[in-house]
PDB file of all heavy atoms in Angstrom:
ATOM      1  N   ALA A  56       0.073  32.889  -6.971  1.00 53.00           N
ATOM      2  CA  ALA A  56      -0.049  31.889  -8.022  1.00 53.00           C
ATOM      3  C   ALA A  56       1.255  31.102  -8.092  1.00 53.00           C
ATOM      4  O   ALA A  56       2.334  31.673  -8.202  1.00 53.00           O
ATOM      5  CB  ALA A  56      -0.333  32.570  -9.356  1.00 53.00           C
ATOM      6  N   HIS A  57       1.178  29.764  -7.983  1.00 56.00           N
ATOM      7  CA  HIS A  57       2.387  28.947  -7.991  1.00 56.00           C
ATOM      8  C   HIS A  57       2.941  28.844  -9.408  1.00 56.00           C
ATOM      9  O   HIS A  57       2.217  28.961 -10.382  1.00 56.00           O
ATOM     10  CB  HIS A  57       2.080  27.553  -7.453  1.00 56.00           C
ATOM     11  CG  HIS A  57       3.305  26.727  -7.274  1.00 56.00           C
ATOM     12  ND1 HIS A  57       4.104  26.823  -6.158  1.00 56.00           N
ATOM     13  CD2 HIS A  57       3.890  25.812  -8.086  1.00 56.00           C
ATOM     14  CE1 HIS A  57       5.117  25.984  -6.286  1.00 56.00           C
ATOM     15  NE2 HIS A  57       5.010  25.358  -7.442  1.00 56.00           N
ATOM     16  N   GLY A  58       4.212  28.628  -9.481  1.00 66.00           N
ATOM     17  CA  GLY A  58       4.839  28.448 -10.782  1.00 66.00           C
ATOM     18  C   GLY A  58       6.226  29.028 -10.826  1.00 66.00           C
ATOM     19  O   GLY A  58       7.078  28.574 -11.563  1.00 66.00           O
ATOM     20  N   LYS A  59       6.494  30.039  -9.976  1.00 84.00           N
ATOM     21  CA  LYS A  59       7.805  30.654  -9.927  1.00 84.00           C
ATOM     22  C   LYS A  59       8.174  30.873  -8.474  1.00 84.00           C
ATOM     23  O   LYS A  59       7.366  31.324  -7.677  1.00 84.00           O
ATOM     24  CB  LYS A  59       7.796  31.988 -10.692  1.00 84.00           C
ATOM     25  CG  LYS A  59       9.191  32.512 -10.987  1.00 84.00           C
ATOM     26  CD  LYS A  59       9.125  33.692 -11.934  1.00 84.00           C
ATOM     27  CE  LYS A  59      10.543  34.146 -12.310  1.00 84.00           C
ATOM     28  NZ  LYS A  59      10.525  35.292 -13.224  1.00 84.00           N
ATOM     29  N   SER A  60       9.418  30.541  -8.133  1.00 89.00           N
ATOM     30  CA  SER A  60       9.847  30.669  -6.750  1.00 89.00           C
ATOM     31  C   SER A  60      10.013  32.140  -6.382  1.00 89.00           C
ATOM     32  O   SER A  60      10.121  33.008  -7.243  1.00 89.00           O
ATOM     33  CB  SER A  60      11.163  29.925  -6.540  1.00 89.00           C
ATOM     34  OG  SER A  60      12.172  30.471  -7.383  1.00 89.00           O
ATOM     35  N   PHE A  61      10.036  32.404  -5.083  1.00 91.00           N
ATOM     36  CA  PHE A  61      10.254  33.764  -4.606  1.00 91.00           C
ATOM     37  C   PHE A  61      11.681  34.194  -4.946  1.00 91.00           C
ATOM     38  O   PHE A  61      12.626  33.420  -4.835  1.00 91.00           O
ATOM     39  CB  PHE A  61      10.047  33.842  -3.091  1.00 91.00           C
ATOM     40  CG  PHE A  61       8.622  33.585  -2.662  1.00 91.00           C
ATOM     41  CD1 PHE A  61       8.324  32.514  -1.837  1.00 91.00           C
ATOM     42  CD2 PHE A  61       7.600  34.414  -3.066  1.00 91.00           C
ATOM     43  CE1 PHE A  61       7.031  32.274  -1.418  1.00 91.00           C
ATOM     44  CE2 PHE A  61       6.295  34.184  -2.658  1.00 91.00           C
ATOM     45  CZ  PHE A  61       6.013  33.112  -1.834  1.00 91.00           C
ATOM     46  N   ALA A  62      11.819  35.470  -5.319  1.00 89.00           N
ATOM     47  CA  ALA A  62      13.140  35.987  -5.698  1.00 89.00           C
ATOM     48  C   ALA A  62      13.921  36.485  -4.495  1.00 89.00           C
ATOM     49  O   ALA A  62      15.148  36.462  -4.501  1.00 89.00           O
ATOM     50  CB  ALA A  62      12.993  37.112  -6.717  1.00 89.00           C
ATOM     51  N   HIS A  63      13.233  36.933  -3.438  1.00 89.00           N
ATOM     52  CA  HIS A  63      13.894  37.538  -2.290  1.00 89.00           C
ATOM     53  C   HIS A  63      13.327  36.971  -0.991  1.00 89.00           C
ATOM     54  O   HIS A  63      12.166  36.555  -0.936  1.00 89.00           O
ATOM     55  CB  HIS A  63      13.721  39.065  -2.306  1.00 89.00           C
ATOM     56  CG  HIS A  63      14.168  39.713  -3.568  1.00 89.00           C
ATOM     57  ND1 HIS A  63      15.489  39.956  -3.853  1.00 89.00           N
ATOM     58  CD2 HIS A  63      13.462  40.160  -4.645  1.00 89.00           C
ATOM     59  CE1 HIS A  63      15.586  40.534  -5.040  1.00 89.00           C
ATOM     60  NE2 HIS A  63      14.373  40.663  -5.542  1.00 89.00           N
ATOM     61  N   ARG A  64      14.141  36.990   0.039  1.00 90.00           N
ATOM     62  CA  ARG A  64      13.700  36.507   1.347  1.00 90.00           C
ATOM     63  C   ARG A  64      12.468  37.250   1.844  1.00 90.00           C
ATOM     64  O   ARG A  64      11.594  36.668   2.492  1.00 90.00           O
ATOM     65  CB  ARG A  64      14.820  36.685   2.379  1.00 90.00           C
ATOM     66  CG  ARG A  64      15.933  35.652   2.318  1.00 90.00           C
ATOM     67  CD  ARG A  64      16.884  35.915   3.474  1.00 90.00           C
ATOM     68  NE  ARG A  64      18.074  35.088   3.432  1.00 90.00           N
ATOM     69  CZ  ARG A  64      18.195  33.911   4.025  1.00 90.00           C
ATOM     70  NH1 ARG A  64      17.171  33.406   4.682  1.00 90.00           N
ATOM     71  NH2 ARG A  64      19.329  33.237   3.968  1.00 90.00           N
ATOM     72  N   SER A  65      12.423  38.555   1.592  1.00 87.00           N
ATOM     73  CA  SER A  65      11.325  39.367   2.107  1.00 87.00           C
ATOM     74  C   SER A  65       9.967  38.907   1.587  1.00 87.00           C
ATOM     75  O   SER A  65       8.933  39.239   2.172  1.00 87.00           O
ATOM     76  CB  SER A  65      11.541  40.841   1.739  1.00 87.00           C
ATOM     77  OG  SER A  65      11.637  40.996   0.332  1.00 87.00           O
ATOM     78  N   GLU A  66       9.967  38.136   0.488  1.00 92.00           N
ATOM     79  CA  GLU A  66       8.707  37.661  -0.082  1.00 92.00           C
ATOM     80  C   GLU A  66       8.209  36.382   0.589  1.00 92.00           C
ATOM     81  O   GLU A  66       7.068  35.967   0.364  1.00 92.00           O
ATOM     82  CB  GLU A  66       8.886  37.409  -1.587  1.00 92.00           C
ATOM     83  CG  GLU A  66       9.247  38.670  -2.377  1.00 92.00           C
ATOM     84  CD  GLU A  66       9.608  38.357  -3.819  1.00 92.00           C
ATOM     85  OE1 GLU A  66       9.782  37.163  -4.142  1.00 92.00           O
ATOM     86  OE2 GLU A  66       9.728  39.298  -4.620  1.00 92.00           O
ATOM     87  N   LEU A  67       9.042  35.748   1.418  1.00 94.00           N
ATOM     88  CA  LEU A  67       8.664  34.473   2.023  1.00 94.00           C
ATOM     89  C   LEU A  67       7.462  34.609   2.950  1.00 94.00           C
ATOM     90  O   LEU A  67       6.757  33.627   3.205  1.00 94.00           O
ATOM     91  CB  LEU A  67       9.840  33.878   2.797  1.00 94.00           C
ATOM     92  CG  LEU A  67      11.065  33.473   1.962  1.00 94.00           C
ATOM     93  CD1 LEU A  67      12.150  32.904   2.861  1.00 94.00           C
ATOM     94  CD2 LEU A  67      10.681  32.459   0.894  1.00 94.00           C
ATOM     95  N   LYS A  68       7.212  35.804   3.457  1.00 93.00           N
ATOM     96  CA  LYS A  68       6.058  35.985   4.342  1.00 93.00           C
ATOM     97  C   LYS A  68       4.736  35.771   3.611  1.00 93.00           C
ATOM     98  O   LYS A  68       3.691  35.622   4.238  1.00 93.00           O
ATOM     99  CB  LYS A  68       6.086  37.378   4.971  1.00 93.00           C
ATOM    100  CG  LYS A  68       6.048  38.539   4.001  1.00 93.00           C
ATOM    101  CD  LYS A  68       6.070  39.858   4.754  1.00 93.00           C
ATOM    102  CE  LYS A  68       6.144  41.059   3.815  1.00 93.00           C
ATOM    103  NZ  LYS A  68       7.487  41.197   3.228  1.00 93.00           N
ATOM    104  N   HIS A  69       4.776  35.745   2.278  1.00 94.00           N
ATOM    105  CA  HIS A  69       3.566  35.495   1.496  1.00 94.00           C
ATOM    106  C   HIS A  69       3.350  34.011   1.196  1.00 94.00           C
ATOM    107  O   HIS A  69       2.393  33.659   0.501  1.00 94.00           O
ATOM    108  CB  HIS A  69       3.622  36.277   0.182  1.00 94.00           C
ATOM    109  CG  HIS A  69       3.732  37.762   0.369  1.00 94.00           C
ATOM    110  ND1 HIS A  69       2.759  38.496   1.019  1.00 94.00           N
ATOM    111  CD2 HIS A  69       4.706  38.644   0.006  1.00 94.00           C
ATOM    112  CE1 HIS A  69       3.120  39.771   1.040  1.00 94.00           C
ATOM    113  NE2 HIS A  69       4.295  39.884   0.437  1.00 94.00           N
ATOM    114  N   ALA A  70       4.252  33.159   1.701  1.00 95.00           N
ATOM    115  CA  ALA A  70       4.126  31.722   1.430  1.00 95.00           C
ATOM    116  C   ALA A  70       2.848  31.174   2.069  1.00 95.00           C
ATOM    117  O   ALA A  70       2.608  31.351   3.260  1.00 95.00           O
ATOM    118  CB  ALA A  70       5.345  30.973   1.960  1.00 95.00           C
ATOM    119  N   LYS A  71       2.042  30.500   1.283  1.00 95.00           N
ATOM    120  CA  LYS A  71       0.784  29.921   1.758  1.00 95.00           C
ATOM    121  C   LYS A  71       0.978  28.452   2.144  1.00 95.00           C
ATOM    122  O   LYS A  71       0.570  28.018   3.221  1.00 95.00           O
ATOM    123  CB  LYS A  71      -0.266  30.049   0.651  1.00 95.00           C
ATOM    124  CG  LYS A  71      -1.534  29.213   0.852  1.00 95.00           C
ATOM    125  CD  LYS A  71      -2.425  29.772   1.925  1.00 95.00           C
ATOM    126  CE  LYS A  71      -3.754  29.016   1.971  1.00 95.00           C
ATOM    127  NZ  LYS A  71      -4.626  29.466   3.064  1.00 95.00           N
ATOM    128  N   ARG A  72       1.591  27.674   1.265  1.00 96.00           N
ATOM    129  CA  ARG A  72       1.766  26.227   1.499  1.00 96.00           C
ATOM    130  C   ARG A  72       3.252  25.956   1.756  1.00 96.00           C
ATOM    131  O   ARG A  72       4.102  26.295   0.933  1.00 96.00           O
ATOM    132  CB  ARG A  72       1.261  25.436   0.305  1.00 96.00           C
ATOM    133  CG  ARG A  72       1.279  23.919   0.500  1.00 96.00           C
ATOM    134  CD  ARG A  72       0.559  23.238  -0.645  1.00 96.00           C
ATOM    135  NE  ARG A  72      -0.881  23.484  -0.601  1.00 96.00           N
ATOM    136  CZ  ARG A  72      -1.739  23.118  -1.547  1.00 96.00           C
ATOM    137  NH1 ARG A  72      -1.286  22.480  -2.626  1.00 96.00           N
ATOM    138  NH2 ARG A  72      -3.017  23.387  -1.425  1.00 96.00           N
ATOM    139  N   ILE A  73       3.552  25.359   2.902  1.00 96.00           N
ATOM    140  CA  ILE A  73       4.937  25.208   3.355  1.00 96.00           C
ATOM    141  C   ILE A  73       5.195  23.761   3.766  1.00 96.00           C
ATOM    142  O   ILE A  73       4.395  23.163   4.488  1.00 96.00           O
ATOM    143  CB  ILE A  73       5.232  26.141   4.550  1.00 96.00           C
ATOM    144  CG1 ILE A  73       4.966  27.601   4.163  1.00 96.00           C
ATOM    145  CG2 ILE A  73       6.658  25.960   5.054  1.00 96.00           C
ATOM    146  CD1 ILE A  73       5.022  28.567   5.332  1.00 96.00           C
ATOM    147  N   VAL A  74       6.326  23.223   3.315  1.00 96.00           N
ATOM    148  CA  VAL A  74       6.795  21.916   3.765  1.00 96.00           C
ATOM    149  C   VAL A  74       8.007  22.144   4.662  1.00 96.00           C
ATOM    150  O   VAL A  74       8.931  22.854   4.289  1.00 96.00           O
ATOM    151  CB  VAL A  74       7.181  21.009   2.581  1.00 96.00           C
ATOM    152  CG1 VAL A  74       7.896  19.751   3.088  1.00 96.00           C
ATOM    153  CG2 VAL A  74       5.950  20.606   1.786  1.00 96.00           C
ATOM    154  N   VAL A  75       7.986  21.533   5.848  1.00 96.00           N
ATOM    155  CA  VAL A  75       9.119  21.591   6.766  1.00 96.00           C
ATOM    156  C   VAL A  75       9.715  20.196   6.860  1.00 96.00           C
ATOM    157  O   VAL A  75       9.033  19.250   7.261  1.00 96.00           O
ATOM    158  CB  VAL A  75       8.700  22.087   8.165  1.00 96.00           C
ATOM    159  CG1 VAL A  75       9.905  22.093   9.105  1.00 96.00           C
ATOM    160  CG2 VAL A  75       8.094  23.476   8.080  1.00 96.00           C
ATOM    161  N   LYS A  76      10.971  20.071   6.461  1.00 93.00           N
ATOM    162  CA  LYS A  76      11.644  18.776   6.513  1.00 93.00           C
ATOM    163  C   LYS A  76      12.570  18.746   7.722  1.00 93.00           C
ATOM    164  O   LYS A  76      13.452  19.605   7.871  1.00 93.00           O
ATOM    165  CB  LYS A  76      12.437  18.542   5.214  1.00 93.00           C
ATOM    166  CG  LYS A  76      13.084  17.146   5.142  1.00 93.00           C
ATOM    167  CD  LYS A  76      14.500  17.154   5.640  1.00 93.00           C
ATOM    168  CE  LYS A  76      15.098  15.757   5.666  1.00 93.00           C
ATOM    169  NZ  LYS A  76      16.487  15.746   6.158  1.00 93.00           N
ATOM    170  N   LEU A  77      12.368  17.769   8.599  1.00 91.00           N
ATOM    171  CA  LEU A  77      13.163  17.617   9.802  1.00 91.00           C
ATOM    172  C   LEU A  77      14.176  16.506   9.595  1.00 91.00           C
ATOM    173  O   LEU A  77      13.793  15.333   9.467  1.00 91.00           O
ATOM    174  CB  LEU A  77      12.272  17.300  11.008  1.00 91.00           C
ATOM    175  CG  LEU A  77      11.086  18.251  11.242  1.00 91.00           C
ATOM    176  CD1 LEU A  77      10.288  17.801  12.448  1.00 91.00           C
ATOM    177  CD2 LEU A  77      11.581  19.679  11.416  1.00 91.00           C
TER     178      LEU A  77
END
Side-chain angles (χ1 to χ4, degrees):
H57 187 83
K59 195 170 184 180
S60 60
F61 294 119
H63 305 281
R64 282 185 187 268
S65 58
E66 298 172 349
L67 295 180
K68 60 180 175 286
H69 300 299
K71 166 73 173 176
R72 185 171 290 173
I73 302 171
V74 170
V75 178
K76 185 266 176 180
L77 308 179

